[in-house]
């Protein structure tokens, strides 16, 4: 049985559809004149990205590629993380100095159960120095979105060679078909009294390990 409210709704929507069908649809050209091609020397990109991340209350460590395992283990030890999750495709060498429990992630693991982990380690696809944003695209070393959002600690390894100066340059390196997660510091929001609350929509702690020679 159709209620009077439902009947009125269908009448209004029907008239809207008829009007849209009769109205011409002019071709629209969207301007794409973005400022592109900006570059910065390695040391300036590193300094700018670090400044932005620290301003967002992330922790930043720098190292060379052969120091990755040592720095990752040191970070996890300092955070008291004894059980961590990692994407199935993460470089095993990064865990060579870690003596805690490692859980390889898979689609069969329910997302809510990831909350039992002390933290997660992922790689990254590209980063933007200007905005302090790290892009994850779900590649084997980065994993599914839930893995980087549910645990309370996220340790993200960034290679300096993947850091671009600006947003257009960073976006140009992404694969449009891949799911993209943007990370700019720990998850945070403000309540009605403008008090900052961290860890509401994602990890409360973000540690970025920047490898300067990769």
């Amino acid at each position: 049985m159709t209620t009077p409210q439902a009947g009125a709704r269908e009448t209004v929507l029907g008239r809207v559809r008829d009007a849209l069908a009769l109205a011409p649809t002019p071709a629209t050209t969207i301007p794409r004149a973005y400022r592109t091609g900006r570059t910065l020397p390695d040391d300036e990109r590193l300094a700018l990205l670090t400044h932005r991340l620290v301003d967002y209350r992330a922790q930043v460590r720098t190292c060379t590629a052969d120091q990755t395992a040592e720095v990752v283990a040191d970070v996890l030890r300092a955070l008291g993380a004894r059980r961590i999750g990692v994407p199935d495709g993460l470089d095993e060498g990064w865990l060579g100095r870690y003596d805690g429990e490692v859980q390889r992630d898979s689609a069969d693991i329910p997302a809510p159960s990831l909350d039992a982990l002390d933290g997660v380690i992922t790689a990254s696809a590209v980063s933007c120095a200007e905005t302090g944003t790290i892009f994850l695209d779900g590649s084997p070393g980065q994993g599914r979105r839930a893995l980087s959002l549910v645990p309370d600690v996220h340790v993200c390894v960034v290679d300096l060679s993947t850091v671009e100066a600006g947003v257009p340059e960073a976006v140009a390196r992404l694969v449009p078909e891949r799911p993209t997660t943007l990370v700019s510091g720990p998850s945070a929001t403000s309540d009605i009294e403008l008090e900052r609350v961290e860890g509401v929509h994602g990890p409360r702690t973000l540690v970025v390990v920047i490898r300067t020679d990769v």
Side-chain angles (χ1 to χ4, degrees), residues 109-187:
I109 299 176
S113 69
L114 299 174
D115 190 46
L117 298 171
D118 295 325
V120 58
I121 304 174
T122 74
S124 58
V126 64
S127 299
C128 173
E130 186 176 56
T131 62
T133 304
I134 300 169
F135 297 74
L136 309 181
D137 69 0
S139 295
Q142 298 162 51
R144 54 177 172 160
R145 182 169 294 166
L147 182 64
S148 62
L149 293 179
V150 175
D152 202 40
V153 172
H154 182 190
V155 178
C156 186
V157 178
V158 171
D159 293 338
L160 185 57
S161 62
T162 67
V163 178
E164 293 289 344
V167 173
E169 293 81 12
V171 171
R173 295 183 60 161
L174 297 172
V175 179
E177 294 77 19
R178 299 199 66 85
T180 305
T181 302
L182 279 63
V183 179
S184 293
S187 170

Side-chain angles (χ1 to χ4, degrees), residues 1 74 196:
M1 179 178 179
D74 184 55
R196 180 183 172 95

Side-chain angles (χ1 to χ4, degrees), residues 78-97:
L79 294 170
R82 298 300 305 163
R83 183 168 183 256
I84 62 167
V86 299
D88 190 49
L90 190 78
D91 187 336
E92 291 188 5
W94 295 1
L95 306 172
R97 301 291 293 274

Side-chain angles (χ1 to χ4, degrees), residues 39-107:
T39 60
L40 288 172
D42 286 354
D43 58 342
E44 293 186 26
R45 294 198 328 278
L46 175 60
L48 182 56
L49 177 61
T50 300
H51 174 74
R52 292 287 191 265
L53 288 169
V54 170
D55 190 47
Y56 297 150
R57 301 190 186 184
Q59 301 176 36
V60 178
R61 295 282 301 269
T62 58
C63 68
T64 57
D66 60 0
Q67 296 172 327
T68 305
E70 180 181 351
V71 171
V72 166
D74 184 55
V75 167
L76 294 173
R77 189 181 307 112
L79 294 170
R82 298 300 305 163
R83 183 168 183 256
I84 62 167
V86 299
D88 190 49
L90 190 78
D91 187 336
E92 291 188 5
W94 295 1
L95 306 172
R97 301 291 293 274
Y98 178 65
D99 59 0
E101 179 184 350
V102 177
Q103 174 179 293
R104 291 274 173 180
D105 190 41
S106 75

